[in-house]
Amino acid sequence: MTDAQPPVPQRKNAYAEAGVDIEAADTAIELMKGWVAKATRPEVIGGLGGFAGLFDASALTRYTRPLLATSTDGVGTKVAIAQAMDVHDTIGFDLVGMVVDDLVVCGAEPLFMTDYIATGRVVPERIAAIVKGIAEACQVAGCALVGGETAEHPGLLAPDEYDVAGATTGVVEADRLLGPGRVRPGDVVLAMAASGLHSNGYSLVRHVLLGSPEDGGAGWSLDRNVPELGRSLGEELLTPTRIYAKACLELADRTGVHAMSHVTGGGLAANLERVLPVELTATIDRGTWTPQPVFDLVRRVGDVPQADLEATLNCGVGMVALLPAADVDEAVRVLAGHGVRAWVAGEVREAGTAGHTASQAGGSVHLTGQHPGW
């Protein structure tokens, strides 16, 4: 008779011991499947789980000369707000808005999108919430979410940290391509209201409002109720980016719009310059709109010079269209039908008539006047 041997302790999977939980990733996939299934188009082939997303390109045969457009982006340090508040189902709107609205400025219809989520630790419910937001935003934009990747990076990211990025592909008929070559003197600058800060300039905003007083910040907390905002600071900072894609595509169909500009990092002037020919200048009258209170809050609390604010934040204008004056009324009606408020903010002229020299990147933009109440 032999002595009984003590039980051998069960060792974890070696990959799990290194900090990567494959079972958690599988659970996250199961939780997100329902949301991804809703963000589809008839051209999508197959479902979630393949190595590549498939899209039936024969749908492009209806075009005479289809031009494919692509865009990629992230949401910057806005993810730090989502992580601090433990609210993760809105950051996807920011991601989709950043990429599809870069496409639509050239007249391209967004067709499909992929996403990438890197995290220190896969928490299935958190990953599913992020993807839920992405899928819902894809529905709003009219594009399909055909795939993505979730990567666990222990040691590189803290357990509750993550970052997101995405890429989208769209198509536009060659003879309907929008851009600087179509812009003419006399075109109207039609501004479209932003939903708030969108997803740019959060390093400045966080420094001013959340930074410690020792570092020059206000030291506010995200749960602080701010009367000017009518809600907590955190709720304001997580306001999702407005998605203009469908509104702008209808605008291109119903009017003679010449160019559009998505107002992201760099602010209104720098982004508008990108769609102006070098021989033209646009004059914008600040007196035609009042930015949402959050912009004035950052300006006053941080004593931020207006020039710095305008070079960093959208200051209330998320998208701009350049179009003939005769099309303005129809354009405003089209955009209102999509819940987007629009107004005439300026005009395009020959550069010499305004006394400004065109920049190397494009035409010049001159902001005049002051916002009401500032």
mmCIF file of all heavy atoms in Angstrom, residues 183-191 258 268-269 272-273 275-277 279-289 320-326 328 343-356 363-368:
data_model
loop_
_atom_site.group_PDB
_atom_site.id
_atom_site.type_symbol
_atom_site.label_atom_id
_atom_site.label_comp_id
_atom_site.label_asym_id
_atom_site.label_seq_id
_atom_site.Cartn_x
_atom_site.Cartn_y
_atom_site.Cartn_z
ATOM 1 N N VAL A 183 -15.203 76.000 -54.753
ATOM 2 C CA VAL A 183 -15.542 77.206 -53.994
ATOM 3 C C VAL A 183 -15.358 78.448 -54.865
ATOM 4 O O VAL A 183 -14.383 78.565 -55.610
ATOM 5 C CB VAL A 183 -14.688 77.309 -52.713
ATOM 6 C CG1 VAL A 183 -15.052 78.546 -51.914
ATOM 7 C CG2 VAL A 183 -14.869 76.045 -51.869
ATOM 8 N N ARG A 184 -16.295 79.391 -54.740
ATOM 9 C CA ARG A 184 -16.286 80.600 -55.548
ATOM 10 C C ARG A 184 -16.459 81.843 -54.677
ATOM 11 O O ARG A 184 -17.093 81.773 -53.605
ATOM 12 C CB ARG A 184 -17.421 80.565 -56.576
ATOM 13 C CG ARG A 184 -17.321 79.431 -57.590
ATOM 14 C CD ARG A 184 -16.168 79.659 -58.559
ATOM 15 N NE ARG A 184 -16.077 78.598 -59.557
ATOM 16 C CZ ARG A 184 -15.317 77.533 -59.440
ATOM 17 N NH1 ARG A 184 -14.569 77.353 -58.346
ATOM 18 N NH2 ARG A 184 -15.287 76.623 -60.396
ATOM 19 N N PRO A 185 -15.943 82.988 -55.122
ATOM 20 C CA PRO A 185 -16.214 84.242 -54.411
ATOM 21 C C PRO A 185 -17.724 84.475 -54.336
ATOM 22 O O PRO A 185 -18.457 84.184 -55.290
ATOM 23 C CB PRO A 185 -15.537 85.296 -55.296
ATOM 24 C CG PRO A 185 -14.491 84.556 -56.055
ATOM 25 C CD PRO A 185 -15.072 83.188 -56.293
ATOM 26 N N GLY A 186 -18.186 84.931 -53.212
ATOM 27 C CA GLY A 186 -19.620 85.136 -53.010
ATOM 28 C C GLY A 186 -20.304 83.982 -52.314
ATOM 29 O O GLY A 186 -21.465 84.110 -51.895
ATOM 30 N N ASP A 187 -19.630 82.846 -52.185
ATOM 31 C CA ASP A 187 -20.215 81.730 -51.441
ATOM 32 C C ASP A 187 -20.481 82.148 -49.997
ATOM 33 O O ASP A 187 -19.719 82.918 -49.394
ATOM 34 C CB ASP A 187 -19.278 80.513 -51.440
ATOM 35 C CG ASP A 187 -19.396 79.687 -52.700
ATOM 36 O OD1 ASP A 187 -20.270 79.995 -53.536
ATOM 37 O OD2 ASP A 187 -18.603 78.734 -52.858
ATOM 38 N N VAL A 188 -21.545 81.610 -49.457
ATOM 39 C CA VAL A 188 -21.915 81.868 -48.073
ATOM 40 C C VAL A 188 -21.266 80.819 -47.172
ATOM 41 O O VAL A 188 -21.141 79.650 -47.549
ATOM 42 C CB VAL A 188 -23.447 81.830 -47.921
ATOM 43 C CG1 VAL A 188 -23.863 81.734 -46.455
ATOM 44 C CG2 VAL A 188 -24.072 83.058 -48.569
ATOM 45 N N VAL A 189 -20.846 81.261 -45.999
ATOM 46 C CA VAL A 189 -20.339 80.332 -44.973
ATOM 47 C C VAL A 189 -21.505 79.983 -44.055
ATOM 48 O O VAL A 189 -21.992 80.843 -43.310
ATOM 49 C CB VAL A 189 -19.192 80.950 -44.159
ATOM 50 C CG1 VAL A 189 -18.717 79.966 -43.096
ATOM 51 C CG2 VAL A 189 -18.050 81.367 -45.063
ATOM 52 N N LEU A 190 -21.993 78.749 -44.169
ATOM 53 C CA LEU A 190 -23.119 78.301 -43.359
ATOM 54 C C LEU A 190 -22.584 77.469 -42.201
ATOM 55 O O LEU A 190 -21.980 76.412 -42.410
ATOM 56 C CB LEU A 190 -24.081 77.470 -44.207
ATOM 57 C CG LEU A 190 -25.427 77.139 -43.555
ATOM 58 C CD1 LEU A 190 -26.296 78.389 -43.457
ATOM 59 C CD2 LEU A 190 -26.154 76.054 -44.358
ATOM 60 N N ALA A 191 -22.784 77.946 -40.981
ATOM 61 C CA ALA A 191 -22.300 77.265 -39.785
ATOM 62 C C ALA A 191 -23.355 76.313 -39.248
ATOM 63 O O ALA A 191 -24.557 76.603 -39.303
ATOM 64 C CB ALA A 191 -21.931 78.286 -38.715
ATOM 65 N N HIS A 258 -20.622 73.585 -52.249
ATOM 66 C CA HIS A 258 -19.323 73.465 -52.913
ATOM 67 C C HIS A 258 -18.274 72.755 -52.061
ATOM 68 O O HIS A 258 -17.423 72.040 -52.585
ATOM 69 C CB HIS A 258 -18.804 74.864 -53.279
ATOM 70 C CG HIS A 258 -19.601 75.520 -54.351
ATOM 71 N ND1 HIS A 258 -19.759 76.891 -54.454
ATOM 72 C CD2 HIS A 258 -20.311 74.996 -55.392
ATOM 73 C CE1 HIS A 258 -20.510 77.177 -55.503
ATOM 74 N NE2 HIS A 258 -20.872 76.058 -56.074
ATOM 75 N N LEU A 268 -12.141 76.476 -35.757
ATOM 76 C CA LEU A 268 -12.901 76.856 -36.938
ATOM 77 C C LEU A 268 -12.025 77.381 -38.066
ATOM 78 O O LEU A 268 -12.101 76.918 -39.206
ATOM 79 C CB LEU A 268 -13.960 77.888 -36.543
ATOM 80 C CG LEU A 268 -14.788 78.512 -37.668
ATOM 81 C CD1 LEU A 268 -15.502 77.435 -38.486
ATOM 82 C CD2 LEU A 268 -15.798 79.500 -37.086
ATOM 83 N N ALA A 269 -11.199 78.356 -37.775
ATOM 84 C CA ALA A 269 -10.426 78.997 -38.838
ATOM 85 C C ALA A 269 -9.477 78.022 -39.524
ATOM 86 O O ALA A 269 -9.437 77.935 -40.759
ATOM 87 C CB ALA A 269 -9.648 80.187 -38.273
ATOM 88 N N LEU A 272 -11.407 75.467 -41.683
ATOM 89 C CA LEU A 272 -12.037 76.069 -42.851
ATOM 90 C C LEU A 272 -11.004 76.409 -43.921
ATOM 91 O O LEU A 272 -11.265 76.280 -45.123
ATOM 92 C CB LEU A 272 -12.837 77.306 -42.444
ATOM 93 C CG LEU A 272 -13.627 78.015 -43.548
ATOM 94 C CD1 LEU A 272 -14.519 77.033 -44.314
ATOM 95 C CD2 LEU A 272 -14.456 79.153 -42.959
ATOM 96 N N GLU A 273 -9.826 76.816 -43.501
ATOM 97 C CA GLU A 273 -8.751 77.113 -44.458
ATOM 98 C C GLU A 273 -8.434 75.918 -45.353
ATOM 99 O O GLU A 273 -8.045 76.087 -46.512
ATOM 100 C CB GLU A 273 -7.475 77.525 -43.714
ATOM 101 C CG GLU A 273 -7.499 78.936 -43.162
ATOM 102 C CD GLU A 273 -6.232 79.285 -42.403
ATOM 103 O OE1 GLU A 273 -5.384 78.379 -42.212
ATOM 104 O OE2 GLU A 273 -6.091 80.453 -42.008
ATOM 105 N N VAL A 275 -10.292 73.915 -46.860
ATOM 106 C CA VAL A 275 -11.178 73.718 -48.015
ATOM 107 C C VAL A 275 -11.355 75.006 -48.813
ATOM 108 O O VAL A 275 -12.288 75.124 -49.611
ATOM 109 C CB VAL A 275 -12.555 73.163 -47.583
ATOM 110 C CG1 VAL A 275 -12.392 71.785 -46.967
ATOM 111 C CG2 VAL A 275 -13.269 74.105 -46.627
ATOM 112 N N LEU A 276 -10.457 75.951 -48.612
ATOM 113 C CA LEU A 276 -10.488 77.200 -49.376
ATOM 114 C C LEU A 276 -9.330 77.228 -50.372
ATOM 115 O O LEU A 276 -8.202 76.890 -50.021
ATOM 116 C CB LEU A 276 -10.360 78.409 -48.450
ATOM 117 C CG LEU A 276 -11.585 78.850 -47.658
ATOM 118 C CD1 LEU A 276 -11.187 79.955 -46.678
ATOM 119 C CD2 LEU A 276 -12.699 79.326 -48.576
ATOM 120 N N PRO A 277 -9.586 77.647 -51.617
ATOM 121 C CA PRO A 277 -8.471 77.866 -52.543
ATOM 122 C C PRO A 277 -7.576 78.986 -52.024
ATOM 123 O O PRO A 277 -8.038 79.884 -51.292
ATOM 124 C CB PRO A 277 -9.158 78.284 -53.849
ATOM 125 C CG PRO A 277 -10.597 77.950 -53.678
ATOM 126 C CD PRO A 277 -10.877 77.974 -52.214
ATOM 127 N N GLU A 279 -6.454 81.554 -53.289
ATOM 128 C CA GLU A 279 -6.750 82.925 -53.729
ATOM 129 C C GLU A 279 -7.990 83.515 -53.074
ATOM 130 O O GLU A 279 -8.364 84.658 -53.348
ATOM 131 C CB GLU A 279 -6.918 82.963 -55.256
ATOM 132 C CG GLU A 279 -8.168 82.272 -55.782
ATOM 133 C CD GLU A 279 -7.986 80.782 -56.023
ATOM 134 O OE1 GLU A 279 -6.956 80.231 -55.571
ATOM 135 O OE2 GLU A 279 -8.867 80.176 -56.658
ATOM 136 N N LEU A 280 -8.637 82.737 -52.175
ATOM 137 C CA LEU A 280 -9.863 83.205 -51.539
ATOM 138 C C LEU A 280 -9.698 83.336 -50.037
ATOM 139 O O LEU A 280 -8.835 82.703 -49.425
ATOM 140 C CB LEU A 280 -11.024 82.259 -51.847
ATOM 141 C CG LEU A 280 -11.411 82.089 -53.318
ATOM 142 C CD1 LEU A 280 -12.603 81.151 -53.442
ATOM 143 C CD2 LEU A 280 -11.710 83.434 -53.964
ATOM 144 N N THR A 281 -10.546 84.159 -49.439
ATOM 145 C CA THR A 281 -10.570 84.326 -47.992
ATOM 146 C C THR A 281 -12.009 84.269 -47.509
ATOM 147 O O THR A 281 -12.937 84.653 -48.239
ATOM 148 C CB THR A 281 -9.924 85.652 -47.567
ATOM 149 O OG1 THR A 281 -9.820 85.702 -46.145
ATOM 150 C CG2 THR A 281 -10.740 86.848 -48.028
ATOM 151 N N ALA A 282 -12.211 83.786 -46.310
ATOM 152 C CA ALA A 282 -13.540 83.757 -45.704
ATOM 153 C C ALA A 282 -13.540 84.661 -44.480
ATOM 154 O O ALA A 282 -12.622 84.599 -43.652
ATOM 155 C CB ALA A 282 -13.923 82.334 -45.310
ATOM 156 N N THR A 283 -14.545 85.506 -44.378
ATOM 157 C CA THR A 283 -14.712 86.360 -43.210
ATOM 158 C C THR A 283 -15.875 85.836 -42.383
ATOM 159 O O THR A 283 -16.980 85.657 -42.899
ATOM 160 C CB THR A 283 -14.987 87.810 -43.621
ATOM 161 O OG1 THR A 283 -13.894 88.297 -44.408
ATOM 162 C CG2 THR A 283 -15.148 88.700 -42.394
ATOM 163 N N ILE A 284 -15.614 85.539 -41.107
ATOM 164 C CA ILE A 284 -16.613 84.989 -40.192
ATOM 165 C C ILE A 284 -16.962 86.034 -39.147
ATOM 166 O O ILE A 284 -16.075 86.631 -38.526
ATOM 167 C CB ILE A 284 -16.079 83.732 -39.468
ATOM 168 C CG1 ILE A 284 -15.554 82.701 -40.477
ATOM 169 C CG2 ILE A 284 -17.144 83.133 -38.571
ATOM 170 C CD1 ILE A 284 -16.595 82.100 -41.348
ATOM 171 N N ASP A 285 -18.248 86.255 -38.948
ATOM 172 C CA ASP A 285 -18.723 87.221 -37.953
ATOM 173 C C ASP A 285 -19.115 86.484 -36.678
ATOM 174 O O ASP A 285 -20.114 85.769 -36.642
ATOM 175 C CB ASP A 285 -19.917 87.996 -38.516
ATOM 176 C CG ASP A 285 -20.452 89.040 -37.536
ATOM 177 O OD1 ASP A 285 -19.841 89.242 -36.465
ATOM 178 O OD2 ASP A 285 -21.498 89.641 -37.852
ATOM 179 N N ARG A 286 -18.326 86.660 -35.634
ATOM 180 C CA ARG A 286 -18.627 86.001 -34.351
ATOM 181 C C ARG A 286 -19.975 86.449 -33.795
ATOM 182 O O ARG A 286 -20.591 85.739 -32.986
ATOM 183 C CB ARG A 286 -17.549 86.329 -33.318
ATOM 184 C CG ARG A 286 -16.135 85.842 -33.639
ATOM 185 C CD ARG A 286 -15.234 86.126 -32.446
ATOM 186 N NE ARG A 286 -13.830 85.835 -32.690
ATOM 187 C CZ ARG A 286 -12.936 86.750 -33.073
ATOM 188 N NH1 ARG A 286 -13.324 88.013 -33.265
ATOM 189 N NH2 ARG A 286 -11.679 86.414 -33.258
ATOM 190 N N GLY A 287 -20.425 87.603 -34.193
ATOM 191 C CA GLY A 287 -21.686 88.128 -33.677
ATOM 192 C C GLY A 287 -22.907 87.359 -34.122
ATOM 193 O O GLY A 287 -24.020 87.614 -33.641
ATOM 194 N N THR A 288 -22.740 86.379 -35.029
ATOM 195 C CA THR A 288 -23.880 85.614 -35.518
ATOM 196 C C THR A 288 -24.250 84.432 -34.620
ATOM 197 O O THR A 288 -25.248 83.772 -34.867
ATOM 198 C CB THR A 288 -23.608 85.088 -36.944
ATOM 199 O OG1 THR A 288 -22.438 84.247 -36.929
ATOM 200 C CG2 THR A 288 -23.399 86.243 -37.922
ATOM 201 N N TRP A 289 -23.449 84.160 -33.600
ATOM 202 C CA TRP A 289 -23.820 83.070 -32.689
ATOM 203 C C TRP A 289 -23.166 83.245 -31.316
ATOM 204 O O TRP A 289 -22.150 83.923 -31.186
ATOM 205 C CB TRP A 289 -23.442 81.713 -33.281
ATOM 206 C CG TRP A 289 -22.026 81.248 -33.087
ATOM 207 C CD1 TRP A 289 -21.548 80.403 -32.132
ATOM 208 C CD2 TRP A 289 -20.877 81.591 -33.892
ATOM 209 N NE1 TRP A 289 -20.200 80.187 -32.292
ATOM 210 C CE2 TRP A 289 -19.760 80.901 -33.360
ATOM 211 C CE3 TRP A 289 -20.688 82.414 -35.012
ATOM 212 C CZ2 TRP A 289 -18.472 81.020 -33.903
ATOM 213 C CZ3 TRP A 289 -19.414 82.531 -35.555
ATOM 214 C CH2 TRP A 289 -18.330 81.837 -35.009
ATOM 215 N N VAL A 320 -19.094 73.219 -41.174
ATOM 216 C CA VAL A 320 -19.335 74.407 -41.990
ATOM 217 C C VAL A 320 -19.549 73.972 -43.432
ATOM 218 O O VAL A 320 -18.869 73.059 -43.922
ATOM 219 C CB VAL A 320 -18.143 75.391 -41.908
ATOM 220 C CG1 VAL A 320 -18.284 76.511 -42.923
ATOM 221 C CG2 VAL A 320 -18.037 75.989 -40.511
ATOM 222 N N ALA A 321 -20.488 74.626 -44.116
ATOM 223 C CA ALA A 321 -20.705 74.391 -45.541
ATOM 224 C C ALA A 321 -20.500 75.696 -46.294
ATOM 225 O O ALA A 321 -20.877 76.770 -45.811
ATOM 226 C CB ALA A 321 -22.111 73.858 -45.791
ATOM 227 N N LEU A 322 -19.893 75.608 -47.465
ATOM 228 C CA LEU A 322 -19.730 76.752 -48.355
ATOM 229 C C LEU A 322 -20.621 76.508 -49.568
ATOM 230 O O LEU A 322 -20.478 75.493 -50.261
ATOM 231 C CB LEU A 322 -18.266 76.890 -48.786
ATOM 232 C CG LEU A 322 -17.242 77.012 -47.656
ATOM 233 C CD1 LEU A 322 -15.825 77.108 -48.223
ATOM 234 C CD2 LEU A 322 -17.540 78.210 -46.775
ATOM 235 N N LEU A 323 -21.532 77.430 -49.826
ATOM 236 C CA LEU A 323 -22.522 77.219 -50.879
ATOM 237 C C LEU A 323 -23.030 78.544 -51.424
ATOM 238 O O LEU A 323 -22.858 79.587 -50.771
ATOM 239 C CB LEU A 323 -23.693 76.392 -50.356
ATOM 240 C CG LEU A 323 -24.675 77.000 -49.356
ATOM 241 C CD1 LEU A 323 -25.896 76.105 -49.225
ATOM 242 C CD2 LEU A 323 -24.047 77.208 -47.985
ATOM 243 N N PRO A 324 -23.654 78.542 -52.599
ATOM 244 C CA PRO A 324 -24.194 79.783 -53.149
ATOM 245 C C PRO A 324 -25.273 80.377 -52.253
ATOM 246 O O PRO A 324 -26.045 79.643 -51.621
ATOM 247 C CB PRO A 324 -24.773 79.343 -54.498
ATOM 248 C CG PRO A 324 -24.067 78.072 -54.836
ATOM 249 C CD PRO A 324 -23.815 77.405 -53.519
ATOM 250 N N ALA A 325 -25.360 81.694 -52.230
ATOM 251 C CA ALA A 325 -26.345 82.370 -51.390
ATOM 252 C C ALA A 325 -27.763 81.937 -51.723
ATOM 253 O O ALA A 325 -28.625 81.865 -50.841
ATOM 254 C CB ALA A 325 -26.193 83.885 -51.532
ATOM 255 N N ALA A 326 -28.024 81.627 -52.997
ATOM 256 C CA ALA A 326 -29.370 81.245 -53.410
ATOM 257 C C ALA A 326 -29.829 79.933 -52.775
ATOM 258 O O ALA A 326 -31.030 79.650 -52.742
ATOM 259 C CB ALA A 326 -29.422 81.129 -54.936
ATOM 260 N N VAL A 328 -29.155 78.979 -49.577
ATOM 261 C CA VAL A 328 -29.100 79.038 -48.114
ATOM 262 C C VAL A 328 -30.412 78.610 -47.473
ATOM 263 O O VAL A 328 -30.435 77.802 -46.532
ATOM 264 C CB VAL A 328 -28.697 80.444 -47.636
ATOM 265 C CG1 VAL A 328 -28.951 80.600 -46.136
ATOM 266 C CG2 VAL A 328 -27.232 80.697 -47.930
ATOM 267 N N TRP A 343 -26.879 78.572 -39.532
ATOM 268 C CA TRP A 343 -27.027 80.007 -39.761
ATOM 269 C C TRP A 343 -25.891 80.519 -40.646
ATOM 270 O O TRP A 343 -24.835 79.910 -40.727
ATOM 271 C CB TRP A 343 -27.028 80.765 -38.424
ATOM 272 C CG TRP A 343 -25.717 80.697 -37.683
ATOM 273 C CD1 TRP A 343 -24.695 81.595 -37.727
ATOM 274 C CD2 TRP A 343 -25.282 79.653 -36.802
ATOM 275 N NE1 TRP A 343 -23.649 81.188 -36.929
ATOM 276 C CE2 TRP A 343 -23.985 80.009 -36.348
ATOM 277 C CE3 TRP A 343 -25.865 78.457 -36.351
ATOM 278 C CZ2 TRP A 343 -23.268 79.196 -35.476
ATOM 279 C CZ3 TRP A 343 -25.141 77.663 -35.493
ATOM 280 C CH2 TRP A 343 -23.858 78.040 -35.053
ATOM 281 N N VAL A 344 -26.155 81.652 -41.291
ATOM 282 C CA VAL A 344 -25.125 82.292 -42.115
ATOM 283 C C VAL A 344 -24.139 82.990 -41.189
ATOM 284 O O VAL A 344 -24.514 83.881 -40.420
ATOM 285 C CB VAL A 344 -25.746 83.295 -43.097
ATOM 286 C CG1 VAL A 344 -24.637 84.057 -43.844
ATOM 287 C CG2 VAL A 344 -26.650 82.573 -44.095
ATOM 288 N N ALA A 345 -22.874 82.575 -41.261
ATOM 289 C CA ALA A 345 -21.849 83.122 -40.366
ATOM 290 C C ALA A 345 -20.839 83.991 -41.086
ATOM 291 O O ALA A 345 -20.044 84.674 -40.439
ATOM 292 C CB ALA A 345 -21.115 81.994 -39.641
ATOM 293 N N GLY A 346 -20.845 83.974 -42.423
ATOM 294 C CA GLY A 346 -19.849 84.767 -43.134
ATOM 295 C C GLY A 346 -19.943 84.600 -44.627
ATOM 296 O O GLY A 346 -20.920 84.050 -45.161
ATOM 297 N N GLU A 347 -18.885 85.040 -45.306
ATOM 298 C CA GLU A 347 -18.870 85.049 -46.766
ATOM 299 C C GLU A 347 -17.459 84.809 -47.280
ATOM 300 O O GLU A 347 -16.474 85.133 -46.609
ATOM 301 C CB GLU A 347 -19.382 86.400 -47.278
ATOM 302 C CG GLU A 347 -19.498 86.497 -48.791
ATOM 303 C CD GLU A 347 -19.953 87.878 -49.249
ATOM 304 O OE1 GLU A 347 -20.008 88.802 -48.398
ATOM 305 O OE2 GLU A 347 -20.235 88.036 -50.441
ATOM 306 N N VAL A 348 -17.378 84.251 -48.481
ATOM 307 C CA VAL A 348 -16.099 84.019 -49.146
ATOM 308 C C VAL A 348 -15.870 85.115 -50.182
ATOM 309 O O VAL A 348 -16.783 85.466 -50.937
ATOM 310 C CB VAL A 348 -16.084 82.635 -49.841
ATOM 311 C CG1 VAL A 348 -14.787 82.435 -50.615
ATOM 312 C CG2 VAL A 348 -16.276 81.523 -48.813
ATOM 313 N N ARG A 349 -14.655 85.645 -50.201
ATOM 314 C CA ARG A 349 -14.309 86.701 -51.153
ATOM 315 C C ARG A 349 -12.924 86.426 -51.724
ATOM 316 O O ARG A 349 -12.190 85.567 -51.233
ATOM 317 C CB ARG A 349 -14.302 88.075 -50.465
ATOM 318 C CG ARG A 349 -15.621 88.478 -49.845
ATOM 319 C CD ARG A 349 -15.484 89.807 -49.139
ATOM 320 N NE ARG A 349 -16.729 90.209 -48.497
ATOM 321 C CZ ARG A 349 -16.860 91.289 -47.742
ATOM 322 N NH1 ARG A 349 -15.805 92.068 -47.492
ATOM 323 N NH2 ARG A 349 -18.028 91.588 -47.206
ATOM 324 N N GLU A 350 -12.594 87.174 -52.753
ATOM 325 C CA GLU A 350 -11.221 87.111 -53.241
ATOM 326 C C GLU A 350 -10.302 87.662 -52.170
ATOM 327 O O GLU A 350 -10.626 88.646 -51.501
ATOM 328 C CB GLU A 350 -11.079 87.909 -54.534
ATOM 329 C CG GLU A 350 -11.847 87.298 -55.694
ATOM 330 C CD GLU A 350 -11.642 88.086 -56.982
ATOM 331 O OE1 GLU A 350 -10.867 89.077 -56.954
ATOM 332 O OE2 GLU A 350 -12.261 87.719 -57.993
ATOM 333 N N ALA A 351 -9.142 87.058 -52.009
ATOM 334 C CA ALA A 351 -8.254 87.406 -50.901
ATOM 335 C C ALA A 351 -7.875 88.877 -50.903
ATOM 336 O O ALA A 351 -7.806 89.512 -49.863
ATOM 337 C CB ALA A 351 -6.999 86.538 -50.939
ATOM 338 N N GLY A 352 -7.647 89.435 -52.079
ATOM 339 C CA GLY A 352 -7.215 90.825 -52.147
ATOM 340 C C GLY A 352 -8.231 91.806 -51.625
ATOM 341 O O GLY A 352 -7.876 92.855 -51.075
ATOM 342 N N THR A 353 -9.537 91.475 -51.752
ATOM 343 C CA THR A 353 -10.569 92.415 -51.332
ATOM 344 C C THR A 353 -10.637 92.570 -49.829
ATOM 345 O O THR A 353 -11.128 93.564 -49.318
ATOM 346 C CB THR A 353 -11.949 91.957 -51.840
ATOM 347 O OG1 THR A 353 -12.249 90.674 -51.262
ATOM 348 C CG2 THR A 353 -11.951 91.848 -53.354
ATOM 349 N N ALA A 354 -10.142 91.565 -49.083
ATOM 350 C CA ALA A 354 -10.167 91.653 -47.616
ATOM 351 C C ALA A 354 -8.808 92.022 -47.051
ATOM 352 O O ALA A 354 -8.655 92.192 -45.849
ATOM 353 C CB ALA A 354 -10.625 90.323 -47.031
ATOM 354 N N GLY A 355 -7.823 92.115 -47.915
ATOM 355 C CA GLY A 355 -6.503 92.532 -47.458
ATOM 356 C C GLY A 355 -5.741 91.486 -46.697
ATOM 357 O O GLY A 355 -4.895 91.785 -45.868
ATOM 358 N N HIS A 356 -5.996 90.196 -46.985
ATOM 359 C CA HIS A 356 -5.315 89.122 -46.270
ATOM 360 C C HIS A 356 -4.525 88.268 -47.240
ATOM 361 O O HIS A 356 -4.921 88.063 -48.385
ATOM 362 C CB HIS A 356 -6.320 88.245 -45.514
ATOM 363 C CG HIS A 356 -7.032 88.995 -44.433
ATOM 364 N ND1 HIS A 356 -6.445 89.296 -43.227
ATOM 365 C CD2 HIS A 356 -8.278 89.526 -44.387
ATOM 366 C CE1 HIS A 356 -7.296 89.979 -42.479
ATOM 367 N NE2 HIS A 356 -8.414 90.134 -43.169
ATOM 368 N N GLY A 363 -6.748 78.843 -48.391
ATOM 369 C CA GLY A 363 -7.110 80.249 -48.257
ATOM 370 C C GLY A 363 -7.064 80.691 -46.811
ATOM 371 O O GLY A 363 -6.819 79.907 -45.904
ATOM 372 N N SER A 364 -7.317 81.956 -46.595
ATOM 373 C CA SER A 364 -7.260 82.505 -45.237
ATOM 374 C C SER A 364 -8.658 82.697 -44.670
ATOM 375 O O SER A 364 -9.633 82.810 -45.407
ATOM 376 C CB SER A 364 -6.513 83.844 -45.235
ATOM 377 O OG SER A 364 -7.195 84.781 -46.041
ATOM 378 N N VAL A 365 -8.748 82.704 -43.351
ATOM 379 C CA VAL A 365 -10.009 82.912 -42.646
ATOM 380 C C VAL A 365 -9.811 84.031 -41.643
ATOM 381 O O VAL A 365 -8.831 84.030 -40.887
ATOM 382 C CB VAL A 365 -10.471 81.623 -41.937
ATOM 383 C CG1 VAL A 365 -11.731 81.887 -41.119
ATOM 384 C CG2 VAL A 365 -10.718 80.512 -42.951
ATOM 385 N N HIS A 366 -10.730 84.982 -41.642
ATOM 386 C CA HIS A 366 -10.639 86.142 -40.756
ATOM 387 C C HIS A 366 -11.891 86.194 -39.890
ATOM 388 O O HIS A 366 -13.011 86.243 -40.411
ATOM 389 C CB HIS A 366 -10.512 87.418 -41.593
ATOM 390 C CG HIS A 366 -10.371 88.661 -40.784
ATOM 391 N ND1 HIS A 366 -9.428 88.817 -39.798
ATOM 392 C CD2 HIS A 366 -11.070 89.827 -40.829
ATOM 393 C CE1 HIS A 366 -9.540 90.028 -39.262
ATOM 394 N NE2 HIS A 366 -10.528 90.658 -39.873
ATOM 395 N N LEU A 367 -11.728 86.130 -38.565
ATOM 396 C CA LEU A 367 -12.852 86.234 -37.637
ATOM 397 C C LEU A 367 -12.986 87.663 -37.151
ATOM 398 O O LEU A 367 -11.997 88.279 -36.727
ATOM 399 C CB LEU A 367 -12.652 85.290 -36.444
ATOM 400 C CG LEU A 367 -13.057 83.827 -36.669
ATOM 401 C CD1 LEU A 367 -12.052 83.115 -37.560
ATOM 402 C CD2 LEU A 367 -13.205 83.090 -35.348
ATOM 403 N N THR A 368 -14.208 88.204 -37.218
ATOM 404 C CA THR A 368 -14.459 89.576 -36.810
ATOM 405 C C THR A 368 -15.543 89.624 -35.736
ATOM 406 O O THR A 368 -16.265 88.638 -35.501
ATOM 407 C CB THR A 368 -14.915 90.432 -38.011
ATOM 408 O OG1 THR A 368 -16.181 89.938 -38.473
ATOM 409 C CG2 THR A 368 -13.906 90.374 -39.145
#
